[in-house]
Amino acid sequence: MILPCVVEEAVNRQKTQSLLRISGIIGGEEFRTMPLLSRSGRRLSWQTMNIALNLIAASVIAVYQDTLAAIITLAVFLPMVSDMSGCSGNQAVAVSMRELSLGLVRPTELLWVLAKEARVGIVNGLFLGLVLGLIAYVWKGNAWLGLVVGQALAAGFKEAAPKFALDIVAEYEYALQDRQFGPLVAKVKADNPEVIYASGYYFTAGPLVSQLRTAGITTPVIGQEGYDSDTFMEIAGDAAEGTLLTTSPDRDSESPVIQAFIADFKKATGIGTDMVAASTYTVAYVLIDGFKKTGGKGGAALVLGVVEAYGTIYFGKLLDRNAIAFAFLILVLMVRPQGLFSRR
Amino acid sequence: MNYEISLMTTMAISVLFALSLNLITDFCGQISLGHAAFLGIGAYLAAMLAKAGVPFLLTLPLAMLLAGAVGTVVGLTNLRVRADFLAITTMGMSFLFFGILLQREWLGGELGISGITGSNMSKLSYMLFTVFCTILVMTLCIYLRRSRMGRVFNGTALAGYSA
């Protein structure tokens, strides 16, 4: 025989535990009768972890104090770096806390969890560093990063060359700080190529092209990013005349010359030349890869983001941004309570 | 003494709100993150009616009715979702409520409604009125818990957790 009071007690116990889990208080129930210090200690363990994580993030910044003092523009990126590190720390805490409260990990598995979170941190750090580096490049025009992009383009050129029946007769290397290309120019003269493809930013490209022309080499030079800047033309002077660029023309350009070039190029090769398409391809590729890794959640988040962005344009006067996103979310859940892309 | 009276009044209103939330989270064991929206719906209607010249005591049941009606609609739609998604939809309701309010000029937009007609009660009697309402709701909650309905609530909570 089961007494009603026993059932009620069991129900209450179940409810209390669930509520504690929701509030992030773990390690069993917390009673009012518990000593003050043990109660505060249980809660402080999580809060102090947050302080420690933030301190680590701050100390990393402190290590680079001198660099920061030397390059003042870096200060612009400082809040971003500290925000991201803080967020990563909080994420790690939140995820670990959830796992602990759901019983997915035990406190004894501390080292394992720590190692796993560290690995996640390194991967995310590398990715965010790359993203921030690219932002810095676009925003502040960092020449060094331009060089990296240039080298990547050169590698791409080498890879694609056989497809277009191009023979690479010789390869030349120069260092970032090189401004005198005497030996290199002599080699080029000896090899006598039909065309020269040269990567590098304007501070190398300018002297290089100028010295090639001074040596009497009339071989066409194909450059890319860096060659399209005014500074290149200033440094190279008259020698800049006739240099070819591989930077894709902008399809939205109003210049009839560029539009005619795009049309002719497509007619001749069957391949569109389009800077926007190239960037979109990269973005789409990254997104698709992301979706593969996150399953339906990434796709759902993207759909929600698109609805929120476009919804704000058309319904911004009726509802604010958050409300539009949530209205769509609720609508989706009414139709598919199991989630937008869930197979269940 | 005026400060203590206002404080007590605010406290009583907050306790009323907490009791109503308790009905859902404790009695029924369901998560609700959008509860404030229902308080807001009632408050906005009462304020608008009072400004239109409706007597204070009449604004209260009308406000309750509207909040209840909206709650029923929300409840019926939320019947389809469970657990995490229930939490999300209830939170969404509150964002939706704020989103609608903030864009409505005639509801005061971000500044809210000002110059609301008072209840014609003295500060002390208004405090006593709110405390009385709180005690009334508390009694109702205790009665509800012991009633047949309370056992149904408890059953919902148990079924929810075992599901």
Side-chain angles (χ1 to χ4, degrees):
Chain A
M1 192 176 74
I2 302 166
L3 291 169
C5 62
V6 177
V7 174
E8 188 159 347
E9 201 191 315
V11 169
N12 282 340
R13 204 179 309 132
Q14 191 92 37
K15 280 195 287 187
T16 315
Q17 272 172 5
S18 293
L19 272 175
L20 283 173
R21 278 179 192 169
I22 292 166
S23 342
I25 297 166
I26 49 159
E29 280 181 83
E30 189 178 300
F31 299 106
R32 295 279 149 208
T33 46
M34 273 184 178
L36 178 75
L37 281 180
S38 82
R39 280 180 73 189
S40 75
R42 285 154 58 100
R43 294 192 205 174
L44 270 178
S45 56
W46 286 111
Q47 289 161 1
T48 35
M49 193 178 275
N50 205 11
I51 295 179
L53 285 167
N54 278 317
L55 273 179
I56 293 168
S59 60
V60 169
I61 293 170
V63 170
Y64 292 102
Q65 240 169 6
D66 294 340
T67 319
L68 277 170
I71 308 166
I72 213 75
T73 47
L74 281 179
V76 177
F77 299 100
L78 211 57
M80 291 191 212
V81 174
S82 72
D83 267 7
M84 281 197 290
S85 55
C87 285
S88 311
N90 284 336
Q91 271 180 359
V93 170
V95 169
S96 311
M97 218 160 97
R98 186 184 158 273
E99 283 177 343
L100 271 172
S101 59
L102 289 175
L104 297 174
V105 291
R106 285 184 295 273
T108 45
E109 290 167 329
L110 173 77
L111 284 177
W112 179 74
V113 171
L114 205 64
K116 199 153 188 204
E117 284 301 327
R119 285 211 298 274
V120 172
I122 289 167
V123 172
N124 287 357
L126 284 173
F127 177 75
L128 291 173
L130 191 73
V131 170
L132 202 59
L134 283 173
I135 293 170
Y137 162 64
V138 172
W139 192 3
K140 299 285 174 193
N142 191 314
W144 298 83
L145 243 155
L147 196 79
V148 174
V149 173
Q151 280 173 344
L153 276 170
F157 183 88
K158 273 197 282 188
E159 200 185 304
K163 287 183 202 160
F164 294 92
L166 292 171
D167 269 343
I168 297 172
V169 291
E171 280 180 51
Y172 315 97
E173 274 180 28
Y174 45 81
L176 189 65
Q177 66 275 14
D178 284 357
R179 300 290 177 269
Q180 295 300 325
F181 301 96
L184 191 148
V185 170
K187 269 194 232 163
V188 173
K189 208 162 186 177
D191 292 333
N192 194 24
E194 287 174 29
V195 72
I196 300 166
Y197 181 77
S199 67
Y201 221 64
Y202 57 79
F203 48 74
T204 30
L208 176 68
V209 171
S210 147
Q211 285 166 41
L212 281 170
R213 297 290 177 248
T214 315
I217 299 168
T218 50
T219 315
V221 175
I222 303 174
Q224 18 70 36
E225 204 146 350
Y227 282 72
D228 56 2
S229 77
D230 295 347
T231 325
F232 165 72
M233 288 173 213
E234 272 170 35
I235 298 171
D238 290 339
E241 188 64 40
T243 308
L244 304 166
L245 294 177
T246 55
T247 314
S248 291
D250 183 1
R251 67 160 186 212
D252 296 327
S253 166
E254 284 170 13
S255 156
V257 179
I258 288 181
Q259 286 304 334
F261 176 83
I262 291 173
D264 288 349
F265 189 85
K266 189 154 192 184
K267 211 185 287 170
T269 61
I271 304 163
T273 161
D274 189 338
M275 193 169 69
V276 181
S279 316
T280 314
Y281 174 79
T282 316
V283 170
Y285 194 81
V286 171
L287 276 178
I288 290 165
D289 201 46
F291 290 159
K292 277 186 198 155
K293 289 192 172 73
T294 56
K297 287 187 201 97
L302 182 76
V303 172
L304 200 64
V306 170
V307 169
E308 186 183 326
Y310 279 92
T312 314
I313 299 172
Y314 299 115
F315 307 108
K317 285 217 163 111
L318 292 172
L319 291 170
D320 75 347
R321 209 184 178 89
N322 283 334
I324 288 166
F326 272 104
F328 176 70
L329 197 80
I330 292 166
L331 204 70
V332 166
L333 285 174
M334 290 305 114
V335 184
R336 284 185 66 82
Q338 69 274 43
L340 189 56
F341 293 123
S342 178
R343 287 203 190 92
R344 270 182 295 129
Chain B
M1 202 55 191
N2 252 349
Y3 172 68
E4 283 82 356
I5 291 172
S6 324
L7 193 66
M8 192 53 147
T9 314
T10 320
M11 274 165 66
I13 293 169
S14 301
V15 169
L16 266 175
F17 178 57
L19 281 170
S20 69
L21 184 63
N22 191 50
L23 275 177
I24 298 179
T25 52
D26 186 44
F27 282 24
C28 303
Q30 304 295 321
I31 303 170
S32 172
L33 302 174
H35 209 65
F38 299 107
L39 181 85
I41 288 168
Y44 263 84
L45 182 72
M48 296 299 284
L49 289 175
K51 272 190 98 168
V54 178
F56 173 70
L57 286 177
L58 192 63
T59 62
L60 292 184
L62 289 173
M64 281 188 245
L65 271 178
L66 182 70
V70 176
T72 311
V73 175
V74 171
L76 285 174
T77 50
N78 281 357
L79 275 180
R80 287 178 64 79
V81 286
R82 295 258 177 279
D84 287 355
F85 286 140
L86 178 67
I88 292 168
T89 46
T90 54
M91 188 165 75
M93 287 297 167
S94 109
F95 273 103
L96 209 55
F97 173 70
F98 282 119
I100 293 167
L101 274 187
L102 296 183
Q103 306 296 92
R104 297 285 90 77
E105 281 304 315
W106 58 276
L107 285 173
E110 299 201 13
L111 294 172
I113 304 171
S114 55
I116 304 165
T117 321
S119 59
N120 281 336
M121 290 184 203
S122 73
K123 275 201 143 196
L124 184 69
S125 39
Y126 187 66
M127 180 204 87
L128 290 172
F129 176 71
T130 51
V131 172
F132 170 72
C133 288
T134 309
I135 293 167
L136 202 71
V137 173
M138 264 183 193
T139 321
L140 183 75
C141 284
I142 293 166
Y143 166 74
L144 201 65
R145 173 140 231 174
R146 288 178 186 166
S147 69
R148 195 183 149 74
M149 181 77 111
R151 285 201 290 278
V152 172
F153 283 173
N154 238 346
T156 314
L158 185 62
Y161 287 125
S162 52

